[in-house]
Each structure stands twice: as structure tokens, then as C-alpha cells.
Amino acid sequence: MPVGQLSSYWTGSFVTASNNHQYLLINHVMYIGTGSSYLATTHISVYDINTKSFSQNVYSEFTTGPFAWSTSSSSSAPLLRRSASLNGIDALSADNVTQLHSWSRAPNNTFDLVVDATSAVLLNGGMGQFELMGAACVEWGLTKGRTSGNITLAGGAVVAVDPARSFTWYDRQFSVPGSGSSTGGNYTWFSLILPGTPIRASIWAVDTATTKRRLATFRFDNGTHVTKTFKFTPLADGMYTSKNTNITYHTKHRLTFPDGDYINVAATSLDQEQYNTTSAAGIAYEGFSVMDVSLFGRHAVGYGTTEITTVKASA
């Protein structure tokens, strides 16, 4: 796979630990650059779903050297190593996908996870490629990988992850070289899990100065994909202004589809912003959310993530 101006590796781990608490663990390594020089921005957060406590770290650092990604299944292929100083997503298998190591040593956000690819792939847009802010973007996800490992809590106690009650969504995204430059804009991205159903969804609402794009991709266990457009309504009663960055976010949204289906999204805690204490780089809202849905003849309550951020135009 070629690497262009943007290359992103993201794990969202929904885990139950040996203390019977449930957590959302976010690990995101993103590279922006061309040639042999890249800005690496990393986001790490731990959200205790039971107590609604949230801690996060964001770091940015420059890195140099070849930036290679191999899809070969050969044992001689280079293994994926995508990391910054305090966190990373590494391959433990020669194909760079079958088994991954998602880890963080960031203060108050320490975890060590092994993720096995045990679900069908979700291809955004149904084919794995769509337009994002004026440039072609490839995105695919493994939405329910078996997960084991441990979490180090803020007080130093280590709790084990229960693989029978845990899973990880691994999301891979990169821009296609030569497909255009990003116009910049704002986006909201949702990951959706509906327990007890075969449905997983990756949902984009993207606004630029000249366009609005709404793309929801639903994947079923048999590999079938369905794409839909939708009306996107951020709700005023979910507005939250961060005390750290003074940015205002909508934490509640309503998505309505032409066939009458809908998704109502609400973050379970307002303060789930990831921010850098030394610069404006890498600011994003990454919130655990509950989702009340009517989809494909089913009414269900699910959960997932709400990611909100602003992207600057390419220089």
C-alpha cells in the first residue's frame, strides 16, 4: 500500500478488565508528510465507562527515514512498526494484520494489548476508498479483534483484560498520493457497534468551505456492505466547551436516512477531549458514545466512538 500525505493507525479497544470495570482505550498514531520527513502525532486515552473518569495524552514529534508499509504475507516482509516515544501499534505477524500489539507507556494511560484479527473487514464506501476533503482516501477496519493484555491504572494497580468480554476495532487510513491536496475542513466520524446484531458501521460527516459529504458504511458478518447518505444534525443540548482549549463540541447528534432509519448519538461524558498541553497540534474529541438506532428493520441500542476534529488545508 502506498503512503501519501496522511497515514493513520488507530485502535479503539472496548474491554472488560479483571476489576469488572469496562474501558475504552484509544491508541492513535498518525503521520503527516512526504519524502523522508514526517510529523508524528499520537493520541492516547483511557476512559472508565463505569466511573466516567477520563485521562489522555497527545504528543507530536518529527521523525525521519523511510516510511514503508508492506502487504506481503512473506515471512521476509518488514513488520509494521508504527510508534512514537510513548505508544505504538506494531505487527506480531508477518502479514502485518493477523496479530497486532497496541501499547502505551504514557503517564496515567498505560496499557499493553495483543489484538487478533477475528472479524471480517469493513471497507469504507463499500470499496475501501472515498473522497475526503478533496483527496482520495483509503480506509478499512477490522471491527472486532480478539483482545488480551493488561491495563495499569493511575494508582499503579495492574488489571487483566478478559478476552471473552473484550474486543478491538483496528482502523487503517491513508491518503492516495497524487489524488489531490486536502482542502481542509471539519469532520465527525462515528464507529458503531450493535451488540446482538451483525451490524458494524463507519460513518463520516465532513464539511469543507464548499462541500458537505455524508457517508455511512454498514458491514454485516457475511461481508455484505451497504452504504447510505444521511441528514446530519448536531444537537444544541449536547454542546460542550472545553476548559482546556476553549473549543466547543457537539456531543449529541441525530442522523436520519432517506428510508426513515435513524441513529441518535450521545457521548456518555462531555469531557473526552484529547489535546496537547504545549501546542494546538492534534486536538480532537474522542468520546465513548451510546447510540439508539433504527436500522434495517431493527431497533437496538449500541455504542461506539464519536471523533470530532478540524483539518487544515495542505500547504
Side-chain angles (χ1 to χ4, degrees):
M1 293 182 184
V3 175
Q5 295 174 325
L6 165 71
S7 194
S8 169
Y9 307 80
W10 181 92
T11 57
S13 300
F14 302 83
V15 305
T16 300
S18 53
N19 60 354
N20 285 320
H21 281 227
Q22 295 178 310
Y23 299 90
L24 169 61
L25 312 176
I26 298 292
N27 189 10
H28 189 190
V29 182
M30 181 172 64
Y31 291 81
I32 301 174
T34 56
S36 60
S37 179
Y38 301 87
L39 173 66
T41 300
T42 68
H43 299 76
I44 316 109
S45 62
V46 174
Y47 179 65
D48 186 322
I49 297 169
N50 296 69
T51 66
K52 298 184 179 180
S53 64
F54 176 78
S55 57
Q56 63 86 38
N57 301 90
V58 174
Y59 300 96
S60 294
E61 58 187 45
F62 281 98
T63 184
T64 59
F67 192 93
W69 169 266
S70 173
T71 58
S72 171
S73 60
S74 167
S75 60
S76 62
L79 290 181
L80 171 68
R81 294 286 183 266
R82 289 293 163 258
S83 63
S85 299
L86 294 174
N87 70 306
I89 299 172
D90 305 329
L92 299 177
S93 60
D95 62 6
N96 288 323
V97 174
T98 300
Q99 189 173 70
L100 298 171
H101 181 208
S102 179
W103 58 273
S104 170
R105 302 189 188 99
N108 298 321
N109 293 289
T110 300
F111 50 84
D112 193 279
L113 306 175
V114 173
V115 180
D116 295 297
T118 52
S119 69
V121 66
L122 187 156
L123 301 169
N124 276 254
M127 299 292 289
Q129 183 169 315
F130 64 104
E131 182 183 323
L132 180 63
M133 297 184 181
C137 173
V138 171
E139 184 184 19
W140 52 267
L142 298 171
T143 61
K144 197 176 181 182
R146 181 186 185 275
T147 302
S148 59
N150 59 72
I151 308 167
T152 302
L153 303 179
V158 178
V159 293
V161 170
D162 181 357
R165 297 185 290 169
S166 306
F167 67 90
T168 293
W169 181 313
Y170 172 55
D171 203 80
R172 177 75 176 100
Q173 181 183 355
F174 57 89
S175 56
V176 176
S179 65
S181 298
S182 172
T183 60
N186 304 303
Y187 75 74
T188 303
W189 177 68
F190 303 101
S191 65
L192 167 64
I193 298 103
L194 287 183
T197 81
I199 300 172
R200 301 289 184 269
S202 174
I203 304 171
W204 286 89
V206 184
D207 294 336
T208 71
T210 58
T211 63
K212 294 182 183 294
R213 179 172 292 274
R214 310 291 184 247
L215 176 65
T217 306
F218 299 91
R219 193 224 69 210
F220 298 84
D221 281 351
N222 64 1
T224 300
H225 286 67
V226 174
T227 61
K228 292 186 178 188
T229 188
F230 57 91
K231 180 182 178 181
F232 180 61
T233 307
L235 302 179
D237 66 337
M239 293 179 67
Y240 164 71
T241 299
S242 167
K243 64 182 182 297
N244 301 302
T245 63
N246 205 37
I247 295 174
T248 297
Y249 300 96
H250 288 273
T251 66
K252 292 183 179 180
H253 303 83
R254 181 170 175 84
L255 287 58
T256 51
F257 298 90
D259 58 5
D261 283 354
Y262 63 82
I263 303 175
N264 293 323
V265 185
T268 59
S269 179
L270 296 177
D271 186 6
Q272 297 184 71
E273 182 189 46
Q274 299 174 336
Y275 65 95
N276 191 315
T277 57
T278 59
S279 75
I283 297 172
Y285 187 89
E286 190 88 42
F288 178 80
S289 302
V290 293
M291 303 183 184
D292 175 70
V293 313
S294 177
L295 290 168
F296 307 107
R298 306 168 185 257
H299 180 263
V301 176
Y303 58 89
T305 59
T306 299
E307 180 178 292
I308 307 168
T309 195
T310 297
V311 178
K312 294 182 179 180
S314 300

